[in-house]
Amino acid sequence: MGAIHILQGIIAAASSGGGSGGGGGGGGGASYRSWTIEWWSKKQSPQTNTVPRIFSCGVDTGASIGYSNESGGDYIWTGGVSAFGGPTSVGSTANTWFHWAIVSDGTNLTLYRNGVSLSSAPRTGSAITDTTTALTVGTDTSNGWKGLITDFHIIKGTAKYTGNFTPPTSRIQTQTGTQVLLYANGGSIVNAGPISGSASNWTYSTDDPYGDGAGSITFDGSAAILSYQGGSWIALDAA
């Protein structure tokens, strides 16, 4: 078991049961909106780096958003403000598939693991309006993560889940607001969303959480990276 800090400010998102859209208020003059980021991951042990990033917009704790599997716990970085006022106990066992989801409904931020809410709190900090920073998956360009990822999904404008839910049992599908939906299919990376990007040094695995044979994207902890240039699509709190 580890600890997870959710630090909130420039991007975040995820998964839960139901769905809502639109915007909401924000403390300190910030204007928050609804969005979701969800993904399946299966980390491998040992990791190559001490602060391996599953995904990131920016570098290290200054990232507009980033998720890392560290030896002392799991962290989601979003602008330097702790959404839950401290660590949340989570499980991130090696060689086990987990579905992760972070959801903003315009007022609150909720973290889900395998469909169960781990923490929820009012949003604070800066609104997510950065349009220039690239999103990288599998690293923050210098701290690679080692393991498998599939169905990495960013939705702008909708809180896909609004309560505990059953994790997807088949491939996640696009919906209104889908910006990126990444998965492997027969040895190729598919992005079912409208945002184009680049991929290098990844490998294909037949392993996936659904057992449908479509497989997943393998990251080696060093050179593997998927990269998507910034734009209005990643300004999740902008209309």
Side-chain angles (χ1 to χ4, degrees), residues 207-235:
D207 189 6
D208 64 62
Y210 311 118
D212 63 4
S216 57
I217 305 165
T218 304
F219 296 86
D220 62 4
S222 57
I225 181 173
L226 309 184
S227 182
Y228 295 83
Q229 289 301 313
S232 61
W233 68 276
I234 207 159

Side-chain angles (χ1 to χ4, degrees), residues 22-238:
S31 181
Y32 306 129
R33 299 184 68 84
S34 297
W35 39 254
T36 298
I37 297 176
E38 62 179 329
W39 71 96
W40 283 97
S41 61
K42 182 178 183 178
K43 77 173 183 179
Q44 297 174 341
S45 183
Q47 289 288 315
T48 305
N49 296 290
T50 57
V51 288
R53 302 290 193 251
I54 288 184
F55 66 90
S56 186
C57 280
V59 178
D60 204 23
T61 59
S64 58
I65 188 169
Y67 179 98
S68 61
N69 280 143
E70 302 180 22
S71 59
D74 294 67
Y75 297 81
I76 295 177
W77 305 101
T78 59
V81 178
S82 176
F84 306 129
T88 298
S89 180
V90 301
S92 188
T93 307
N95 300 313
T96 301
W97 281 106
F98 287 97
H99 181 270
W100 298 96
I102 311 165
V103 179
S104 169
D105 64 5
T107 301
N108 298 305
L109 185 74
T110 304
L111 168 68
Y112 298 90
R113 182 195 65 200
N114 286 345
V116 177
S117 173
L118 297 178
S119 291
S120 186
R123 289 192 60 185
T124 58
S126 301
I128 301 165
T129 57
D130 182 0
T131 61
T132 60
T133 305
L135 170 76
T136 57
V137 181
T139 184
D140 63 1
T141 70
S142 59
N143 297 289
W145 180 82
K146 186 178 179 182
L148 312 179
I149 294 175
T150 193
D151 291 18
F152 183 86
H153 191 201
I154 296 178
I155 309 165
K156 183 177 180 180
T158 299
K160 181 179 178 181
Y161 305 106
T162 57
N164 289 350
F165 60 98
T166 300
T169 57
S170 60
R171 292 288 175 186
I172 293 172
Q173 302 298 308
T174 59
Q175 62 180 75
T176 300
T178 291
Q179 305 299 311
V180 168
L181 176 53
L182 299 171
Y183 57 90
N185 187 7
S188 299
I189 291 180
V190 176
N191 179 17
I195 306 305
S196 61
S198 61
S200 59
N201 299 306
W202 67 281
T203 57
Y204 171 70
S205 171
T206 57
D207 189 6
D208 64 62
Y210 311 118
D212 63 4
S216 57
I217 305 165
T218 304
F219 296 86
D220 62 4
S222 57
I225 181 173
L226 309 184
S227 182
Y228 295 83
Q229 289 301 313
S232 61
W233 68 276
I234 207 159
L236 298 181
D237 285 325

